[in-house]
Amino acid sequence: MRKPFIAGNWKMNTNQRGALALASGLKDRLAGVDTVDVAVCPPFVYLAAVGAALSSSNIALGAQNLYHERNGAFTGEISGDMLKDVGCSYVILGHSERRHILGETDDLINKKVRAAIDGGLLPIFCVGELLEEREAGRTHDVVSEQVKNGLEGIDAERALAVTVAYEPVWAIGTGKTATAEQAQEVHAMIRALLGELFGADVAQQMRIQYGGSAKPNNTAELMANPDVDGLLVGGASLKVEDFAAMVQTVA
Ligand code: PEP
């Protein structure tokens, strides 16, 4: 019922040559995979070139952020229209690095999620708790607040455009993966909350990815959980072999 979805977040990595090599390597390795949705999210400046390299492949293009206004005097920002124009289908929003390093608030993230949906993009909306929040037993409260605030003002029909990515901050880029049980427990909580917000039918259709040191060797275990519908992959998405192996495991 929910098609698995694996997305690679390249963050502020690669250069032009490396980005193209990664794209064409993945295109070759993943030709014919049609049981998993796959996307890569390169830095803005390489989107057009990577999009061209992925043409006639089954790999979609995503961006790592957008600004919620459509155009105008917003020096240094990129709009959803611009992302569509260069071939993006997806956009990552609310990533913990943007929340905690760049100071993005729930309110700003909500504006971005709404702008993305209005502009025909599919948001990958990230939520997740800090280590001290988990240790204080606040994981559910923190994640619920992020989900409710980030999706405020979005109706059930438009919510279907959203993939939620549960990314415990303590697991991102640290090599510390949440156990399959920890991931499933929070995913089930998120799906129940999506049910309260949008109705059980819509919640059953919405995909919830796990992110945080997902690698080829833990893909099968994470994906075996009933509420884990895919992965948002950082470090391992920068290696053709690793990312392709993860997609193939799921396929
Ligand atoms: C991410 O940044 O979205 C992520 C999950 O990173 P990593 O896989 O490197 O932990």
Side-chain angles (χ1 to χ4, degrees), residues 26 35 40 114 235:
L26 289 173
T35 53
V40 294
R114 291 202 271 177

Side-chain angles (χ1 to χ4, degrees), residues 10-189:
W10 295 2
K11 310 195 187 190
M12 198 174 72
N13 291 303
T14 68
N15 53 26
Q16 190 150 214
R17 213 158 61 132
L20 289 175
L22 197 43
S24 63
L26 289 173
K27 181 176 173 175
D28 291 347
R29 285 290 306 270
L30 298 178
V33 170
D34 60 5
T35 53
V36 182
D37 284 339
V38 181
V40 294
C41 305
F44 285 136
V45 290
Y46 306 131
L47 281 169
V50 167
L54 293 175
S55 71
S56 45
S57 79
N58 44 7
I59 304 172
L61 192 64
Q64 299 173 21
N65 185 26
L66 59 64
Y67 192 63
H68 55 277
E69 298 289 348
R70 297 191 72 171
N71 53 45
F74 303 103
T75 302
E77 295 296 332
I78 305 283
S79 72
D81 286 353
M82 292 170 182
L83 298 180
K84 286 286 284 186
D85 195 31
V86 295
C88 288
S89 313
Y90 294 96
V91 59
I92 298 171
L93 295 172
H95 191 279
S96 68
E97 286 147 20
R98 298 211 61 86
R99 289 177 187 267
H100 299 296
I101 302 174
L102 283 309
E104 291 199 4
T105 61
D106 280 350
D107 181 51
L108 179 64
I109 295 161
N110 175 248
K111 288 192 173 93
K112 292 183 177 200
V113 172
R114 291 202 271 177
I117 299 171
D118 290 346
L121 287 161
L122 303 169
I124 299 172
F125 163 56
C126 305
V127 296
E129 80 287 1
L130 297 165
L131 182 58
E132 58 263 36
E133 292 167 336
R134 173 163 283 266
E135 287 176 346
R138 297 185 51 230
T139 299
H140 283 208
D141 289 349
V142 169
V143 172
S144 303
E145 277 304 291
Q146 290 173 340
V147 170
K148 280 191 241 168
N149 293 338
L151 299 180
E152 198 182 310
I154 292 166
D155 62 23
E157 193 187 328
R158 294 184 331 141
L160 286 169
V162 178
T163 296
V164 178
Y166 168 57
E167 300 207 299
V169 180
W170 47 271
I172 296 181
T174 58
K176 247 192 228 176
T177 320
T179 63
E181 294 73 31
Q182 284 171 323
Q184 169 58 26
E185 196 245 329
V186 180
H187 281 229
M189 182 278 287

